Amino acid sequence: MENPTPWEALLLVSHYLDPKSLAIAACVSKSWSLAMSQDHVWQPLCSSYYPSLSNLKIPNPSVPYHRLFALGFTASKRRFKTPSKPRLSLDSLIFAIELSTCGAPAVIITEPAVNIQGNDQVFKFDVDVNRDFFPGIFEGSQQEINIRWNVVLKGWEAAFSMMDCKCKLSSCTTAAVAGWFSEELPSPGCCSGGDMGSGIVADVKVGYCRKRWESKKGLKVEKVSVGMLRCVDWRYVSVDDGLRYLQHFLLLPCSN
């Protein structure tokens, strides 16, 4: 039987090992675990990688440095963990969009999300309309319109209101205009307070142009675009991130 590694040699070698090697070596035996878990071995590593956690040793001297290092490592891995694949898919969603104003027929769009023209990478979809009018909106005037965008789960099992607001739509001297409207979405999860935002906004763009028919002027809606944007950089979220957000409301409805 071979002689066990001298204690002094273990202590000497431990100072030259990286955190992963130290953790592996600590699994060899009880004596190795004791040698590789010494505070004087982990203190410089903990101070270098996670200095704020290392300071927790001051008011709590009984907490070993290797434990503080493990806490920091686990927290980092959890933060940058690759998200799971969404359980929703675009072909399971229906977009119901309504634009209405006083004295005019509503512009109503009901389409499966998968049939709407969009970018495969980002959660943004464009709908060609080219058939509805807002009569009575004259050049240089403003008109209040109601915008509603609901996402419905196929089978009518659930629905989520992405936007429900009143906005001002104005005409101008140019032939074509675009109205851009946004509204912050609620934080996913039933445990979040009402004042806590999600950092994501629902985005609706209405492309329209001035139109004259018979003796009246008005606006013809040509295109409606809907999507989800991040507040931090005003970029569209990915399709998967958008689906992951929606599944909190469509597949896991809050019981409160």
Side-chain angles (χ1 to χ4, degrees):
M1 182 176 179
E2 296 182 0
N3 293 327
T5 306
W7 177 262
E8 295 80 4
L10 290 178
L11 294 179
L12 182 63
V13 171
S14 64
H15 289 284
Y16 296 94
L17 299 180
D18 58 80
K20 183 177 179 179
S21 300
L22 281 171
I24 294 174
C27 298
V28 172
S29 65
K30 289 184 178 181
S31 61
W32 280 51
S33 176
L34 184 61
M36 302 302 170
S37 302
Q38 297 294 309
D39 266 0
H40 63 83
V41 175
W42 285 95
Q43 190 275 331
L45 293 172
C46 192
S47 299
S48 176
Y49 283 83
Y50 311 109
S52 59
L53 292 179
S54 180
N55 289 334
L56 295 176
K57 179 76 170 178
I58 298 173
N60 303 279
S62 62
V63 180
Y65 277 111
H66 71 84
R67 176 59 179 161
L68 295 176
F69 187 95
L71 286 175
F73 180 79
T74 303
S76 298
K77 295 288 286 185
R78 185 180 294 117
R79 180 180 180 185
F80 297 105
K81 181 181 178 181
T82 302
S84 59
K85 187 175 179 62
R87 293 185 291 130
L88 274 180
S89 61
L90 286 179
D91 58 10
S92 65
L93 302 179
I94 299 172
F95 287 172
I97 307 164
E98 177 187 338
L99 310 176
S100 61
T101 186
C102 182
V107 178
I108 299 176
I109 304 164
T110 306
E111 290 283 348
V114 73
N115 293 347
I116 303 176
Q117 178 183 358
N119 186 311
D120 292 338
Q121 302 300 320
V122 297
F123 201 91
K124 179 181 181 295
F125 305 89
D126 302 320
V127 185
D128 291 322
V129 183
N130 291 323
R131 65 179 184 270
D132 299 291
F133 297 88
F134 284 156
I137 301 181
F138 299 101
E139 185 176 317
S141 67
Q142 285 191 337
Q143 179 74 30
E144 188 177 74
I145 67 168
N146 300 315
I147 300 179
R148 294 185 180 90
W149 172 25
N150 289 289
V151 178
V152 182
L153 189 63
K154 274 189 176 179
W156 323 112
E157 296 178 2
F160 177 64
S161 177
M162 298 287 287
M163 181 180 292
D164 189 350
C165 66
K166 293 183 178 181
C167 311
K168 293 290 186 179
L169 193 67
S170 63
S171 62
C172 62
T173 57
T174 59
V177 231
W180 183 19
F181 312 100
S182 63
E183 193 170 64
E184 186 170 8
L185 293 167
S187 179
C190 61
C191 296
S192 301
D195 296 332
M196 180 180 292
S198 62
I200 301 175
V201 300
D203 165 70
V204 175
K205 292 187 181 72
V206 182
Y208 55 96
C209 65
R210 289 185 290 113
K211 189 75 176 181
R212 180 191 292 274
W213 63 100
E214 297 179 356
S215 60
K216 297 181 179 180
K217 291 181 180 179
L219 298 178
K220 174 185 178 182
V221 178
E222 295 185 322
K223 179 182 289 187
V224 175
S225 300
V226 295
M228 295 170 64
L229 292 161
R230 293 190 300 264
C231 295
V232 65
D233 55 9
W234 290 101
R235 293 180 180 272
Y236 288 99
V237 303
S238 68
V239 172
D240 281 355
D241 283 343
L243 292 173
R244 271 188 286 267
Y245 175 84
L246 288 172
Q247 75 184 16
H248 283 277
F249 301 96
L250 297 177
L251 297 183
L252 300 172
C254 181
S255 58
N256 293 336

